[in-house]
């Protein structure tokens, strides 16, 4: 059984100003970048069977802008930026085949490093890593994945 994890950092959000961080929406550039990421996923046959998404406005809007109809669990723990929690959420998933995780840095970048043993030196907004596993989600432990590609906006 092969599993594919798509790790997406949210697209570019507006500056916070006086609003709470979790309430920041996408900037126009972020909407365009996320739409392009959705096009890339479709063009590469990587449409997920399920998604895990932070409850922050910018991650929800990033997922919406991908224009992919996918069953989604909105998980508040993703906002907390802890890669070990993200890995646990992945292991607990029952997603068929391909799982998309939409979250925040630094945890998404650290998750890629932890699971694949390598990753990009930088993880700007709307960066997407594709990691494959030769096993199902319960066995997605550090070092068990293979980083196939990294797409940046």
């Amino acid at each position: 059984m092969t599993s594919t994890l798509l790790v997406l950092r949210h697209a570019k959000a507006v500056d916070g100003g006086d609003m709470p961080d979790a309430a920041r929406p996408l900037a126009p550039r972020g909407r365009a970048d996320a739409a392009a990421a959705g096009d890339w996923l479709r063009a590469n046959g990587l449409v997920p069977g399920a998604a895990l998404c932070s409850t922050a406005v910018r991650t929800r809007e990033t997922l919406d802008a991908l224009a992919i109809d996918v069953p989604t669990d909105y998980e508040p723990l993703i906002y907390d930026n802890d890669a070990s929690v993200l890995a646990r959420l992945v292991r607990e998933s029952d997603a068929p085949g391909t799982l998309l995780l939409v979250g925040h840095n630094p945890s998404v970048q650290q998750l890629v490093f932890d699971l694949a043993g390598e990753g990009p030196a930088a993880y700007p907004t709307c960066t997407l890593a594709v990691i494959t596993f030769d096993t199902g989600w319960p066995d997605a432990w550090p070092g068990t994945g293979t980083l196939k590609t990294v797409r940046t906006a």
Side-chain angles (χ1 to χ4, degrees):
M1 167 191 232
T2 302
S3 304
T4 301
L5 177 63
L6 309 171
V7 182
L8 178 64
R9 182 179 176 194
H10 64 80
K12 182 72 175 166
V14 299
D15 290 333
D18 291 333
M19 74 180 73
D21 182 65
R24 293 189 303 133
L26 291 184
R29 182 187 123 202
R31 290 187 190 288
D33 289 349
D39 291 342
W40 186 88
L41 288 170
R42 283 184 290 282
N44 286 279
L46 291 169
V47 175
L52 293 170
C53 184
S54 164
T55 54
V57 170
R58 62 189 177 275
T59 52
R60 296 172 71 98
E61 289 184 352
T62 297
L63 181 60
D64 288 346
L66 294 174
I68 294 172
D69 186 23
V70 59
T72 302
D73 288 330
Y74 294 97
E75 177 54 64
L77 293 174
I78 296 172
Y79 184 76
D80 290 337
N81 279 325
D82 186 324
S84 66
V85 170
L86 298 184
R88 179 177 54 80
L89 292 171
V90 168
R91 283 191 300 275
E92 292 172 353
S93 175
D94 58 2
T98 300
L99 174 65
L100 169 65
L101 187 144
V102 185
H104 309 268
N105 241 9
S107 62
V108 291
Q109 182 177 12
Q110 188 61 54
L111 178 67
V112 172
F113 273 99
D114 290 353
L115 294 178
E118 63 176 317
Y123 216 90
T125 55
C126 215
T127 293
L128 174 71
V130 179
I131 304 171
T132 59
F133 299 88
D134 292 332
T135 61
W137 299 122
D139 297 317
W141 289 92
T144 60
T146 301
L147 182 63
K148 292 297 187 179
T149 192
V150 176
R151 179 197 181 276
T152 55

